Amino acid sequence: MTATLPPSPSEGPIAGVAGRVELPPGSVPADSRFVNDDLLPVPVAQRRWTTYNFAALWVGMAHNIPSWLLASGLIALGMDWKQAVFTIALANLIVLAPMLLTGHAGPKYGIPFPVLARSSFGLRGANLPALVRAAVACAWFGIQTWIGGQGIFILLGKIFGGWTKAAEVGGQPWTLWVCFVVFWALELAIIYRGMDTLRRFENWAAPFVIVGALALLVWITAKAGGLGPLLDQPSKLGWGSDFWPVFFPSLMGMIAFWSTLSLNIPDFTRFAAGQRAQVWGQTLGLPTTMTLFALLSVFVTSGSQAVYGAAVWDPVALAAKTDNVFGLLFALVTVLIATISVNIAANVVSPAYDLANLAPKLINFRRGAMITGVVGVLIMPWKLTETPELYIFTWLGLVGGLLGTVAGILIADYWIVRRTVLDLAALYTPGSRYWYTSGWNLRAVAAFAVGGVLAVGGSHSAKGKGPFPEEGLIPLLKPLANYGWAVGLAAALVLYVALMLPVAREARD
């Protein structure tokens, strides 16, 4: 196994510009099977994303239907609105930390997530975390596309009478399938044009969606003559012994909502003009936006309760209650832009790079995006969203645990073992310091396996409500199941450091 010491400044073809590093021409063999144009570092001159670009990215990603519904899920569990918003705010502050830590490598080296993973997992081994992340993103892409298609279907049903009563194909009206396919094609058309098109789209989509959400608030407040009784509802759990058993698994679920991005955030930060841009952009964009959006969700829903006698948490269902054609069209465009904004940024960019890393000579960014689109349909997202037990608890719990494990290894390797210093050319070169054992770092694989088992091994379901046994897959680990993301991250980080640091010391000696 090769040494794991960080390279010295004189080692390898590394050039620095104000703390940012790029590869001089010819420093990586053009015929290397680990290279294509999309995986190579972004040249310093092309790293232009500003603080506003990153803040707008997060505003665009946070303002979507599933994140609007987060607060409703917590209130359904017995929390009052203050407890629900507090849980969401805390979760996003916590997940911001690994976002910033893994995001650091982007502005400095200009590399995407799967290339960063080569440092810890090896040039071949990086495909393991990349494919785990890609599988999750493909599923999320399908789910978001189905939800967006449903929103368009419902709103068009209000505009065109009989739209929702069309003949059924495969258990759904054929008009719903049309909405789904058209929406799917529109998303892929935007991302096919590349990352710069995505940046421009997010820049104007973010303020548009904010205006749309505020318009919904103004409309329901005026209709209700106030925000209604929901804000006065007491918590069914209190702040005592009944609250904490619900709070901690809920907190992990809220963290898992964005845990995917805590891994592949270098896919975006590699375009940053500097560290300040990504740090301030993410800090201003993620926790503030998600907290304000949760508040907005609660206020609008409270108004709906006053008007209709029952809380309407789904913004599409609420917007569909108006008979104003202009209002319906505005809501339709808002839903369209909001869902596209999050889906192409959060769930297409990452697997496109991950699949390109799997076979760089066969798959580039655009082909990876197209494959993502196809897989997102093949997983049948309409089945994944059928029951809350499968969608929220099983899906988010497993995702959070496994991705937390990968995040722990990346953070440990980049910040503790390598102290943020990478040999950039070696990340693309077989036989280099990152080749380990035939391209695999078996220590990272061991840390991933142990962390993953601890994180999700205790997964359990209530009787008759999920795919897992009631006593847990591994009964001994059942108490850890509700803390999967934190357990996976901490266990993998500690074990990876314990396995790698002795090798690093030996290499130094």
Side-chain angles (χ1 to χ4, degrees):
M1 187 169 291
T2 58
T4 59
L5 272 174
S8 66
S10 60
E11 193 174 322
I14 296 177
V17 181
R20 293 178 291 170
V21 179
E22 64 180 349
L23 284 175
S27 58
V28 174
D31 60 347
S32 173
R33 62 185 181 278
F34 296 98
V35 174
N36 68 23
D37 291 341
D38 296 310
L39 295 177
L40 284 171
V42 175
V44 169
Q46 295 177 25
R47 301 178 202 174
R48 297 190 296 262
W49 286 34
T50 64
T51 297
Y52 175 77
N53 293 140
F54 285 103
L57 178 75
W58 275 113
V59 170
M61 288 197 293
H63 287 176
N64 63 84
I65 297 170
S67 64
W68 179 283
L69 296 173
L70 288 179
S72 67
L74 297 179
I75 290 175
L77 291 174
M79 295 186 184
D80 63 20
W81 72 270
K82 296 183 290 294
Q83 290 172 327
V85 172
F86 166 73
T87 304
I88 291 169
L90 180 59
N92 284 279
L93 281 173
I94 292 172
V95 82
L96 178 64
M99 291 273 190
L100 297 178
L101 291 174
T102 55
H104 184 278
K108 185 171 183 179
Y109 295 102
I111 54 177
F113 156 65
V115 175
L116 174 62
R118 293 175 181 180
S119 169
S120 50
F121 282 86
L123 270 70
R124 287 175 172 160
N127 286 316
L128 172 62
L131 289 179
V132 169
R133 173 65 185 94
V136 171
C138 288
W140 268 122
F141 173 79
I143 289 170
Q144 287 275 12
T145 302
W146 181 251
I147 290 173
Q150 283 181 315
I152 296 168
F153 171 75
I154 291 169
L155 293 174
L156 286 178
K158 288 286 292 184
I159 299 172
F160 304 110
W163 180 264
T164 58
K165 296 180 176 62
E168 290 191 356
V169 176
Q172 304 289 351
W174 69 264
T175 45
L176 175 55
W177 292 114
V178 169
C179 291
F180 174 64
V181 171
V182 170
F183 190 65
W184 172 84
L186 182 59
E187 290 175 314
L188 293 185
I190 292 174
I191 197 62
Y192 189 80
R193 295 180 63 85
M195 288 294 288
D196 204 49
T197 298
L198 172 62
R199 177 179 63 86
R200 292 195 299 268
F201 179 82
E202 296 290 350
N203 282 350
W204 70 263
F208 185 91
V209 174
I210 291 174
V211 170
L214 291 175
L216 190 60
L217 176 63
V218 171
W219 169 68
I220 197 66
T221 302
K223 199 171 180 66
L227 289 177
L230 188 144
L231 298 179
D232 298 324
Q233 291 279 336
S235 169
K236 297 176 184 176
L237 304 173
W239 289 93
S241 58
D242 291 335
F243 174 70
W244 302 110
V246 175
F247 169 74
F248 284 111
S250 298
L251 182 69
M252 292 300 108
M254 297 304 103
I255 290 172
F257 192 79
W258 287 123
S259 63
T260 51
L261 268 294
S262 67
L263 292 186
N264 72 284
I265 195 65
D267 294 345
F268 300 95
T269 61
R270 67 193 299 231
F271 297 97
Q275 294 295 346
R276 183 186 297 271
Q278 73 100 1
V279 170
W280 280 108
Q282 293 203 79
T283 303
L284 294 173
L286 172 59
T288 55
T289 299
M290 285 296 291
T291 303
L292 290 174
F293 206 51
L295 278 169
L296 195 60
S297 167
V298 169
F299 291 156
V300 170
T301 305
S302 185
S304 74
Q305 186 176 22
V307 174
Y308 301 108
V312 183
W313 285 98
D314 187 338
V316 174
L318 183 58
K321 289 182 176 293
T322 181
D323 293 321
N324 184 289
V325 174
F326 174 78
L328 286 168
L329 287 173
F330 182 75
L332 178 66
V333 174
T334 302
V335 167
L336 190 74
I337 292 173
T339 309
I340 289 176
S341 180
V342 63
N343 216 15
I344 60 178
N347 301 319
V348 179
V349 173
S350 169
Y353 283 124
D354 295 337
L355 293 167
N357 188 71
L358 181 65
K361 294 304 179 185
L362 297 176
I363 304 173
N364 58 17
F365 178 82
R366 285 183 171 87
R367 288 175 186 164
M370 298 302 107
I371 294 172
T372 299
V374 172
V375 174
V377 174
L378 293 178
I379 57 97
M380 295 188 291
W382 47 92
K383 294 290 186 183
L384 268 181
T385 56
E386 275 184 344
T387 64
E389 179 73 20
L390 180 62
Y391 172 52
I392 297 174
F393 297 105
T394 303
W395 173 247
L396 287 181
L398 284 173
V399 165
L402 291 177
L403 297 183
T405 300
V406 176
I409 293 171
L410 293 185
I411 293 168
D413 182 78
Y414 183 70
W415 286 95
I416 300 174
V417 175
R418 307 199 186 277
R419 303 170 191 174
T420 77
V421 180
L422 299 176
D423 185 342
L424 198 50
L427 291 170
Y428 301 90
T429 308
S432 69
R433 65 173 60 243
Y434 306 123
W435 190 243
Y436 299 106
T437 303
S438 300
W440 289 79
N441 183 2
L442 300 181
R443 292 175 173 84
V445 174
F448 174 79
V450 172
V453 169
L454 292 176
V456 304
S459 297
H460 56 91
S461 302
K463 190 172 182 178
K465 291 188 176 181
F468 302 120
E470 190 176 3
E471 66 278 7
L473 288 172
I474 303 176
L476 184 65
L477 299 179
K478 184 178 178 180
L480 301 180
N482 290 335
Y483 313 94
W485 181 83
V487 169
L489 187 146
L493 187 150
V494 170
L495 181 56
Y496 183 83
V497 170
L499 292 173
M500 291 295 291
L501 279 184
V503 181
R505 291 195 198 98
E506 182 180 336
R508 291 188 185 98
D509 296 339

